[in-house]
Amino acid sequence: MARYDRAITVFSPDGHLFQVEYALEAVRKGNAAVGVRGTDIVVLGVEKKSAVKLQDSRMVRKIVSLDNHIALACAGLKADARVLVNRARIECQSHRLTVEDPVTVEYITRYIAGLQQKYTQSGGVRPFGLSTLIVGFDPYTGVPSLYQTDPSGTFSAWKANATGRNSNSIREFLEKNYKETSGQETVKLAIRALLEVVESGGKNIEVAVMTREHGLRQLEEAEIDAIVSEIEAEKAAAEAAKKAPPKET
Amino acid sequence: MVLDSHKLIAASGEPGDRVQFTEFIQKNVSLYQFRNGIPLTTAAAANFTRGELATALRKSPYMVNILLAGYDKETGPSLYYIDYIATLHKVDKAAFGYGSYFSLSMMDRHFHSGMSVEEAVDLVDKCILEIRSRLVVAPPNFVIKIVDKDGAREYAWRESVKDTPVSSA
């Protein structure tokens, strides 16, 4: 049994933790996920693998709620996600039980990141192969937040971020186009960002919005399709305006 | 206390156990809902509660008596009697404590199935009246809570000793 105690995640001679870096590779292969924070709303969007015809799509929920005011989307190994989400949900309730207060977004992010870190420094286990985007509202101040964790166990707060496949392109797009938005504008921004790398159409994207009053709401395919058409119309109008030189003086 | 949107729990017994146990059940019922996306049925919650009491019974028992009331869309309202030695029984009417000797008799006399909310509250008031007149150490104030298709909520108070507001210095 002693042989299995050796840590799988050990330092390389040049200071890398290869297992963690390989885990990040696994994340890069996962479905794209994007999160945007608005002034009164937070939006999560995830790429959905196109129509697997026989699968019951209701079962595959990629955006999950951890508590009434906190939601999570992730990219990477979905099985690892299940375990992590379960532990986070237990921690949310446990926190409510012991301190009679709902968790803050930062607390639960710190907890999940701590869990991910533990598995980079224990014997015989491998790191979790997923990065998470955690959104929510502070239970008392109502301030919205977006956090990201990764397999190494680091976490930080973001105004908008993406993870998973082609996350660099999405992040570039967000950097260019981000501005403080609220309500439907935030949703549009998130979907526009996701459309950079995903085939357009409601059936390829899963979007959920969270507001202070109504908690997490998954958008229907029809709603997403409507917003996508709006975005495409705007894009077409912008293209037309560019092509036709402005004649007004 | 409100267990979830459509369930109420009334508990009596050892104060520490009462608070700790009911809050523990409440958080576990919440956890189930987050894990599975749908709430527990009243029967399931009652059986879970009873199971926890039973497990602890021969180690370190919880001295808590519980009445669990809930409304399920499919089966309508239901009431469960769970006592401190983990007896579970689905009932139409129940009472715990010294006041139960009087309340149960009033219920025997006045209860009939298919009572309306007003009739039911009236019966509760009759029980409260008995408790107030017959019990030497009757509690002065009562709260009435209801659970129906619209959810679990506080319905009314029956106070004989009001809270006096603290006058500021």
Side-chain angles (χ1 to χ4, degrees), chain A residues 8 19 23-24 26 29 49 66-67 90 101 115-116 141-142 175 177 200 220 234 240:
Chain A
I8 287 176
Q19 280 300 303
L24 280 155
K29 290 198 165 42
K49 224 170 296 218
L66 298 181
D67 203 341
I90 293 176
D101 247 356
L115 211 47
Q116 287 181 293
T141 63
E175 280 174 14
N177 294 289
S200 69
E220 307 261 324
E234 280 173 14

Side-chain angles (χ1 to χ4, degrees), chain A residues 30-48:
Chain A
N31 290 333
V34 73
V36 182
R37 182 187 82 193
T39 51
D40 61 348
I41 190 176
V42 278
V43 182
L44 282 172
V46 182
E47 175 190 358
K48 225 175 11 182

Side-chain angles (χ1 to χ4, degrees), chain A residues 65 67-68 86 89-90 93 96-97 100, chain B residues 20 23-24 26-27 30-31 34-36:
Chain A
S65 64
D67 203 341
N68 293 322
N86 194 32
R89 281 174 171 156
I90 293 176
Q93 294 305 313
R96 278 181 186 255
L97 186 59
E100 287 205 359
Chain B
Q20 297 293 81
E23 287 187 356
F24 174 74
Q26 186 190 55
K27 300 308 186 264
S30 261
L31 185 60
F34 279 110
R35 274 197 180 133
N36 301 325

